[in-house]
């Protein structure tokens, strides 16, 4: 990683603080995506039988994905609460609180008894823990993205921001790998105890994140803002009020994030339920998710570096249009029930367009807001788009396919509409800087 980060001979070498920031930010994103990918995999394959066993298969699947969506409803609240903390007290404080909360709530999900043991209390506890998980996850990405991008050298923000998505790729491999390995044994063990092990394992990730993040340092940009604010004779406005003083970018940030938010949850989460309902073994989907995650680890930084050269806006719009074009071929490949073709569908449906959007979004959002409200602004855009998009996507897709008597076409139309909205919003947003050349110009001016 060090070689890649310092590959440009014209760029300043990274200090220890910058390297710690990348590691500290990426491990939190790893936890965020581990928790959510893991829940998505379980919601598609395990929870309908464990927590909603008294319902018909369709109702049980809808109920399971509804519990998945609940967590997203609490993400905007977490984004507001922890965004304000990050903008006032520092990014480090926020990032420590969120990883502790994520670890505890995710582990608690793995300890809830089934509905055959405690009845209605089981799904109630599931929804409660999922809500807490969403609250803490809501404050994670804004703080991590802001801290990492603020530490990035000029002209390399895209590369730095994309390493957060490499953490998401590791989470994909880890969550799907654990589910696939545990699912390879007796089904009775997996459905009673096996699926719980990855959830409790989240505590281990939380401890690692705390150890990495306790040595993080605030960026010079944030320190300078803090000194200026402390010396100001008047009380600083609330970061939330500051964000809504610029409603254009706030609203556009939400719309921009919609396509990337549904990409993984349509192609991977709902896609897994779609495969299983067609007769494909869940283990095929788990292995495909591992392949996707492994590719994501290396492709995300490449997309990030590309965004530094051609601009965040161009790359993100290309990702939106690519997703709209490739989602139908992906589901055609899923219908073949051939593992190799299913895995190809997951790659062309998510890795090619989805990772391009994910690797670009966090940096692009940070460049849409000033330092004094940046964490709050990023959190609002990222979390509300994930709530309105990704959180509801599997539920909407399941309902659309049920309404269309098994046809996937309504889902394809839904994806295309979301992608067009995201592309138009990206074209209209004010992004600073938007290209690698702009970054280099700023660097030359500074020197």
């Amino acid at each position: 990683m060090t070689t890649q980060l310092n590959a440009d001979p014209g760029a300043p070498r990274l200090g220890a603080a910058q390297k710690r920031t990348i590691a500290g930010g990426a491990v939190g994103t790893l936890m965020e995506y581990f928790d959510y990918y893991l829940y998505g995999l379980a919601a598609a394959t395990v929870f309908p039988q464990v927590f909603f066993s008294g319902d018909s298969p369709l109702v049980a699947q809808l109920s399971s994905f509804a519990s998945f969506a609940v967590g997203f409803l609490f993400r905007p609240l977490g984004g507001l609460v922890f965004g304000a903390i990050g903008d006032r007290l520092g990014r480090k404080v926020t990032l420590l609180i969120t990883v502790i909360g994520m670890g505890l709530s995710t582990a608690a999900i793995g300890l809830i008894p089934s509905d055959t043991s405690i009845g209605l209390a089981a799904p109630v506890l599931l929804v409660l823990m999922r809500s807490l998980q969403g609250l803490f996850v809501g404050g994670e990405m804004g703080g991590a993205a802001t801290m990492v991008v603020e530490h990035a050298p000029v002209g390399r923000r895209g590369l730095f921001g994309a390493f957060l998505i490499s953490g998401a790729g590791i989470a994909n491999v880890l969550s799907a790998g654990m589910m696939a390995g545990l699912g390879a044994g007796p089904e009775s063990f997996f459905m009673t105890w096996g699926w719980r092990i990855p959830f409790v394992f989240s505590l281990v990730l939380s401890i690692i994140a705390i150890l990495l993040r306790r040595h993080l340092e605030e960026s010079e940009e944030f320190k300078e803002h803090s000194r200026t604010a402390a010396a100001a004779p008047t009380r600083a406005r609330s970061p939330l009020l500051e964000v809504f003083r610029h409603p254009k970018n706030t609203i556009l940030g939400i719309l921009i994030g919609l396509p990337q938010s549904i990409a993984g949850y349509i192609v991977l989460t709902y896609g897994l339920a779609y495969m299983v309902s067609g007769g494909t073994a869940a283990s095929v989907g788990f292995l495909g998710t591992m392949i996707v995650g492994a590719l994501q680890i290396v492709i995300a930084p490449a997309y990030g570096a590309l965004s530094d050269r051609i601009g965040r806006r161009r790359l993100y719009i290309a990702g939106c249009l690519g997703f709209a074009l490739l989602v139908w071929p992906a589901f055609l490949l899923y219908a073949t029930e051939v593992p190799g073709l299913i895995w190809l569908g997951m790659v062309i449906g998510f890795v090619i367009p989805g990772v391009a959007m994910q690797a670009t979004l966090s940096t692009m959002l940070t460049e849409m807001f000033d330092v004094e409200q940046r964490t709050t602004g990023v959190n609002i855009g990222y979390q509300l788009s994930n709530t309105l998009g990704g959180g509801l996507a599997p539920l909407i897709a399941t309902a659309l396919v049920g309404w269309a008597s098994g046809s996937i076409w309504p889902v394809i139309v839904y994806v295309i509409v979301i992608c067009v909205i995201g592309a138009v919003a990206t074209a209209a947003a004010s992004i600073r800087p938007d290209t690698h050349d702009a970054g280099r110009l700023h660097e030359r001016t500074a020197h």
Side-chain angles (χ1 to χ4, degrees):
M1 181 178 288
T2 302
T3 302
Q4 290 177 333
L5 290 174
N6 290 310
D8 183 356
R13 297 191 65 82
L14 302 182
Q18 290 173 308
K19 293 176 182 177
R20 283 197 302 269
T21 300
I22 292 177
V27 74
T29 307
L30 187 159
M31 277 197 66
E32 173 190 356
Y33 281 89
F34 177 82
D35 294 350
Y36 266 62
Y37 284 151
L38 182 61
Y39 196 101
L41 294 172
T45 59
V46 176
F47 291 168
Q49 300 178 54
V50 174
F51 297 113
F52 307 99
S53 60
D55 300 322
S56 68
L58 177 59
V59 173
Q61 189 67 76
L62 285 169
S63 299
S64 182
F65 279 145
S67 74
F68 177 77
V70 165
F72 284 87
L73 298 178
F74 282 83
R75 287 175 68 153
L77 176 60
L80 292 176
V81 171
F82 293 111
I85 293 173
D87 285 328
R88 286 192 176 277
L89 302 181
R91 319 322 189 191
K92 178 179 177 179
V93 175
T94 296
L95 295 178
L96 285 171
I97 295 173
T98 54
V99 293
I100 294 171
M102 286 192 295
L104 292 174
S105 56
T106 303
I109 291 172
L111 301 176
I112 301 172
S114 68
D115 62 355
T116 57
S117 299
I118 61 173
L120 184 61
V124 170
L125 287 172
L126 178 68
V127 170
L128 176 61
M129 290 302 104
R130 176 65 172 167
S131 301
L132 289 174
Q133 189 189 52
L135 182 71
F136 289 108
V137 167
E140 171 61 32
M141 178 57 83
T146 299
M147 177 165 273
V148 169
V149 171
E150 284 180 349
H151 277 81
V154 173
R156 303 176 76 195
R157 285 180 167 182
L159 174 63
F160 269 55
F163 276 106
L164 297 177
I165 306 305
S166 292
I170 297 172
N172 244 336
V173 174
L174 191 58
S175 59
M178 294 183 77
M179 292 290 275
L182 292 163
E187 184 179 1
S188 58
F189 167 76
F190 179 69
M191 296 302 294
T192 52
W193 296 105
W195 70 267
R196 301 176 183 276
I197 294 173
F199 281 85
V200 177
F201 177 75
S202 183
L203 287 176
V204 176
L205 296 179
S206 185
I207 292 171
I208 294 172
I210 292 169
L211 293 175
L212 284 172
R213 288 183 166 182
R214 64 194 180 105
H215 296 299
L216 292 180
E217 299 177 11
E218 300 292 349
S219 69
E220 288 302 321
E221 189 176 4
F222 180 78
K223 291 177 182 177
E224 178 61 30
H225 164 67
S226 298
R227 287 192 291 265
T228 302
T234 59
R235 182 178 176 82
R237 291 188 180 94
S238 161
L240 180 60
L241 294 178
E242 285 292 316
V243 165
F244 283 103
R245 288 180 64 231
H246 309 281
K248 175 187 173 182
N249 266 12
T250 302
I251 295 170
L252 289 177
I254 297 168
L255 299 178
I256 287 169
L258 290 175
Q260 72 83 32
S261 73
I262 71 169
Y265 295 119
I266 288 291
V267 176
L268 304 181
T269 302
Y270 173 72
L272 179 55
Y274 181 82
M275 295 174 211
V276 171
S277 69
T280 301
S283 59
V284 173
F286 293 154
L287 289 172
T289 304
M290 289 178 63
I291 294 170
V292 165
L295 292 173
Q296 189 175 1
I297 294 168
V298 295
I299 290 176
Y303 273 133
L306 181 61
S307 78
D308 286 327
R309 293 188 175 277
I310 69 171
R312 250 68 78 187
R313 193 191 312 270
R314 289 181 184 176
L315 183 57
Y316 194 84
I317 291 175
C320 291
L321 300 180
F323 184 35
L325 291 173
L326 294 173
V327 65
W328 183 44
F331 276 89
L332 287 178
L333 291 169
Y334 288 175
T336 66
E337 301 183 29
V338 178
L341 294 179
I342 287 173
W343 298 336
L344 177 62
M346 297 171 90
V347 171
I348 69 169
F350 177 69
V351 176
I352 295 174
V355 175
M357 292 186 287
Q358 287 188 346
T360 310
L361 180 67
S362 60
T363 303
M364 188 162 61
L365 287 176
T366 62
E367 293 175 340
M368 290 169 61
F369 297 95
D370 296 327
V371 63
E372 62 268 18
Q373 77 273 144
R374 184 170 291 152
T375 307
T376 302
V378 173
N379 271 340
I380 289 174
Y382 183 79
Q383 301 305 347
L384 279 177
S385 64
N386 271 276
T387 298
L388 299 173
L392 298 175
L395 183 63
I396 290 173
T398 301
L400 287 173
V401 171
W403 169 76
S405 302
S407 173
I408 196 65
W409 269 107
V411 176
I412 306 304
V413 173
Y414 162 63
V415 168
I416 291 172
V417 170
I418 294 295
C419 287
V420 170
I421 291 172
V424 172
T426 304
S430 300
I431 304 168
R432 322 179 292 274
D434 191 33
T435 64
H436 177 77
D437 291 338
R440 288 301 186 196
L441 176 63
H442 177 78
E443 187 178 40
R444 288 195 299 269
T445 302
H447 285 80

